[in-house]
Amino acid sequence: MTTRPPITVLLASPRGFCAGVDRAIQIVERAITKYGAPVYVRHEIVHNRHVVERLKALGAVFVEELDECPTDRPVVFSAHGVPKSVPAEAKGRKMLFLDATCPLVSKVHVEAERHHDAGREIVLIGHAGHPEVVGTMGQLPDGAIALIETVADARAYAPRDPGNVAFVTQTTLSVDDTAEIVAALRTRFPEIAAPHKEDICYATTNRQEAVKAIAGRADVLLVLGSANSSNSVRLAEVGLRSGARAHLIDDADSLDFAWLEGARVVGVTAGASAPEILVQDVIDRLAERFEVSVEEVDAARETVTFKLPKVLALAGDR
């Protein structure tokens, strides 16, 4: 009988669904229950293939633009937020729409508007084309927000009035990357107005800290998440910087055992839009080849919850 080699799995905690993702998925599920199928969803509700496929099976229809939706069916806006033009168009077409924008993204929208109303020039630290960035920039008139993606962008930014600048950030960025860009902006614009609190959300920060807590001990880090999930990609980057051979995988089927050659300790985590079942599937897959012992490493405790829209709330909801 061949004995399986031992391997230790360091399980990062927290990992997986955050409060904003959980709320967004519940909004789609409850909309289908209340209004029947199909319920349309503008853009992927969250960036995870498994979540999207499960909701499709329940009766969700995912589209990229509002003009793909009939006017007699409900439409849900994704957790990433949308430009102001989208709900305006939905109202104009007399559509029933439900906004699943994460409340922490909405907070960034409010801050951007506050700066604009105060006459400041606004910098958004984020990634071009990401739906959250598109949504935030779409809160204000064209040209009101300048996008900065890199330290080089921060050094090249040329506002009309260097003494009257503010910045906001995409919520799912790496804390470390953003710190470098913010430092470059502060060096150039000492008076720059910063958010009341760091805009990078608690869940992104906590998951990155959890990766740092295990990556130094792990030979290999497996991050469950889809390639278009910004926070999942950032987790893999944090793992690499912390010394682990990090791989972003969709699910257990994406696991390449060649990555584990010579490995004795494997770190496992999941992005904020990845279901916990994917983590368990990876552990089960590892157990096919190894004698697995699991150690959960707690970096933070999360107790945050967000209310659902009143129209979908059940009697027992708070």
Side-chain angles (χ1 to χ4, degrees), residues 174-294:
S174 157
V175 177
D176 298 334
D177 287 349
T178 307
E180 293 174 22
I181 295 172
V182 170
L185 288 170
R186 286 193 195 280
T187 298
R188 294 191 59 216
F189 313 110
E191 302 299 313
I192 193 166
H196 290 310
K197 287 185 176 180
E198 190 61 50
D199 280 340
I200 293 172
C201 83
Y202 77 92
T204 298
T205 301
N206 289 349
R207 278 151 191 72
Q208 290 179 13
E209 289 304 315
V211 162
K212 290 176 185 176
I214 64 172
R217 296 171 56 194
D219 302 305
V220 176
L221 174 71
L222 302 175
V223 179
L224 276 302
S226 294
N228 64 338
S229 165
S230 176
N231 79 84
S232 300
V233 172
R234 302 288 88 73
L235 287 178
E237 291 173 354
V238 169
L240 281 170
R241 276 203 296 268
S242 301
R245 303 196 303 270
H247 300 276
L248 178 65
I249 58 174
D250 254 323
D251 49 37
D253 291 338
S254 310
L255 175 59
D256 184 345
F257 280 102
W259 298 336
L260 305 181
E261 196 70 44
R264 291 291 171 264
V265 181
V266 177
V268 177
T269 190
S273 47
E276 179 64 16
I277 186 66
L278 301 182
V279 173
Q280 191 55 55
D281 287 347
V282 163
I283 294 171
D284 291 344
R285 180 61 58 86
L286 290 171
E288 294 171 9
R289 298 275 188 99
F290 300 95
E291 194 65 46
V292 174
S293 60
V294 177

